[in-house]
């Protein structure tokens, strides 16, 4: 934290990585102008609120030979954003070709996750890099992806596969929910509730369904995450894995009705609710500690 407050300007790094992240509220742009980092070549993400995206965020990804010049332009012509995250290199090794590749990769992966509204009108190609540079930028991108959630920009889904965690983490669990003909499985990982591809959601929505859940269901249908299920006109199918930030939001989107997700989701093969599983886990760990 540069100014001693978690909401203010702050920087972040990863181990021996040569990259550097700088986060700044839009209200502090005048102070940001004094930072040498924004005079470098880099990428940036403008972040603002969204009423429909799962993450509650809308973003714009950009790059520049001198990031500050681009930010001053966006301050004049883009209203949606409230803060910016800038990524540069401490050793000034990022080139224009590098940041164009990073910009294109970020936009593609954020669109793929479908957790945030993306204000970029186009999908940049990014260009082709030499093999060694591609490897370096892939590492740079993975560190960007690692840092963004810690900086409050949770626009990627948890990395969930249909296989157990290599660490065997006991806090990871597979849940299931059945509601009329709809059936879904959900993996709890890294604080997110990821409904698996192929899970089925109910098409019908009850009148009492909350506005935010109703808007999110529409957003997911428009984005192609929820599509009509083959053979049953009353169901929708998850065409890809999709991460939610709460079990209740995941349950409401799946069922079309308001549900307490901690109670509605059941631990697969255990016959108990997610709430009961959590309470048992806490009790067992407390017993082990004593």
């Amino acid at each position: 934290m540069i100014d001693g407050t978690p909401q203010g300007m702050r920087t972040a790094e990863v181990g021996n990585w040569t990259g550097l992240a700088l986060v700044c509220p839009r209200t502090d742009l005048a102070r940001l102008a004094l930072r040498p980092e924004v005079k470098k070549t880099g990428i940036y993400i403008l972040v603002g609120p969204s009423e429909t995206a799962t993450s509650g965020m809308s973003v714009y990804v950009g790059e520049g030979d001198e990031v500050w010049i681009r930010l001053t332009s966006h301050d004049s012509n883009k209203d949606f954003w409230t803060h910016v995250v800038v990524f540069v290199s401490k050793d000034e090794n990022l080139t224009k070709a590098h940041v164009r590749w990073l910009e294109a990769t970020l936009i593609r992966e954020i669109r793929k996750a479908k957790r945030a509204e993306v204000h970029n009108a186009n999908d940049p190609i990014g260009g082709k890099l030499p093999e060694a540079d591609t490897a370096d930028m892939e590492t740079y991108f993975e560190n960007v992806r690692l840092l963004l959630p810690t900086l409050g920009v949770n626009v990627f889904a948890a990395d969930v596969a249909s296989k157990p965690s290599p660490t065997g983490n006991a806090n990871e669990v597979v849940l299931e929910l059945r509601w009329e003909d709809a059936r879904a499985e959900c993996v709890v990982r890294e604080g997110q509730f990821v409904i698996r591809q192929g899970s089925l959601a109910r098409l019908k929505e009850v009148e009492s369904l909350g506005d935010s859940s109703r808007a999110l269901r529409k957003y997911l249908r428009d984005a192609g995450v929820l599509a009509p299920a083959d053979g049953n006109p009353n169901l929708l199918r998850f065409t890809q894995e999709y991460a939610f930030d709460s079990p209740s939001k995941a349950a409401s989107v799946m069922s079309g009705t308001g549900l307490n997700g901690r109670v509605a989701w059941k631990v697969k093969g255990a016959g108990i609710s997610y709430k009961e599983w959590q309470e048992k886990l806490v009790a067992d760990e407390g017993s082990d500690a004593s």
Side-chain angles (χ1 to χ4, degrees):
M1 294 179 289
I2 296 172
D3 54 10
T5 62
Q7 294 78 28
M9 196 184 307
R10 58 198 190 277
T11 60
E13 303 177 43
V14 176
N16 296 322
W17 183 44
T18 60
L20 174 71
L22 178 64
V23 186
C24 180
R26 189 171 186 173
T27 53
D28 283 348
L29 279 185
R31 294 178 57 217
L32 182 64
L34 303 177
R35 299 287 303 187
E37 294 91 346
V38 296
K39 304 303 191 295
K40 297 181 177 182
T41 300
I43 56 172
Y44 58 89
I45 305 175
L46 307 179
V47 184
S50 169
E51 295 182 357
T52 57
T54 308
S55 65
M57 296 179 180
S58 56
V59 300
Y60 177 91
V61 180
E63 54 82 16
D65 286 323
E66 184 176 325
V67 171
W68 176 248
I69 294 175
R70 299 288 293 144
L71 295 183
T72 55
S73 172
H74 295 320
D75 190 40
S76 301
N77 60 30
K78 293 190 186 300
D79 294 330
F80 78 93
W81 60 289
T82 58
H83 62 286
V84 61
V85 185
V86 176
F87 290 93
V88 295
S89 174
K90 290 179 287 187
D91 58 14
E92 302 189 11
N93 280 342
L94 282 180
T95 67
K96 180 69 171 181
H98 291 153
V99 294
R100 289 182 64 189
W101 187 95
L102 289 167
E103 176 195 42
T105 302
L106 265 173
I107 293 172
R108 182 181 68 248
E109 293 302 313
I110 293 173
R111 287 196 195 278
K112 182 179 177 180
K114 298 180 181 178
R115 286 178 47 80
E117 289 185 54
V118 180
H119 285 256
N120 296 76
N122 302 312
D123 293 326
I125 298 174
K128 186 174 179 60
L129 295 175
E131 185 175 352
D133 285 14
T134 299
D136 289 342
M137 289 305 99
E138 287 174 347
T139 299
Y140 193 103
F141 172 74
E142 287 305 318
N143 284 321
V144 169
R145 183 168 179 154
L146 176 67
L147 280 175
L148 281 175
T150 70
L151 300 173
V153 186
N154 200 2
V155 294
F156 294 110
D159 186 12
V160 177
S162 300
K163 60 182 180 181
S165 166
T167 62
N169 189 341
N171 291 300
E172 294 179 3
V173 60
V174 177
L175 309 176
E176 58 184 359
L177 175 58
R178 300 186 179 191
W179 197 262
E180 296 183 352
D181 292 337
R183 298 183 180 185
E185 287 192 0
C186 173
V187 179
V188 183
R189 182 171 293 174
E190 298 178 11
Q192 293 182 322
F193 299 82
V194 184
I195 293 186
R196 283 177 163 166
Q197 180 180 1
S199 293
L200 297 174
R202 193 171 68 150
L203 175 64
K204 181 181 177 182
E205 297 176 352
V206 299
E207 292 185 6
S208 60
L209 182 65
D211 290 342
S212 63
S213 294
R214 195 181 301 275
L216 180 53
R217 279 170 59 93
K218 181 181 184 304
Y219 171 78
L220 293 179
R221 293 188 69 180
D222 292 343
V225 176
L226 285 173
D230 295 335
N232 192 327
N234 298 316
L235 296 176
L236 300 169
R237 181 177 62 87
F238 279 83
T239 62
Q240 65 179 70
E241 291 177 337
Y242 195 82
F244 295 85
D245 291 328
S246 79
S248 294
K249 184 65 69 176
S252 296
V253 167
M254 177 270 189
S255 65
T257 188
L259 293 175
N260 180 338
R262 295 185 67 222
V263 175
W265 287 103
K266 309 299 182 185
V267 177
K268 186 175 182 180
I272 59 175
S273 69
Y274 178 57
K275 177 178 183 291
E276 293 169 323
W277 179 85
Q278 278 188 313
E279 291 172 346
K280 182 178 183 300
L281 187 66
V282 171
D284 289 346
E285 290 181 348
S287 176
D288 291 342
S290 62

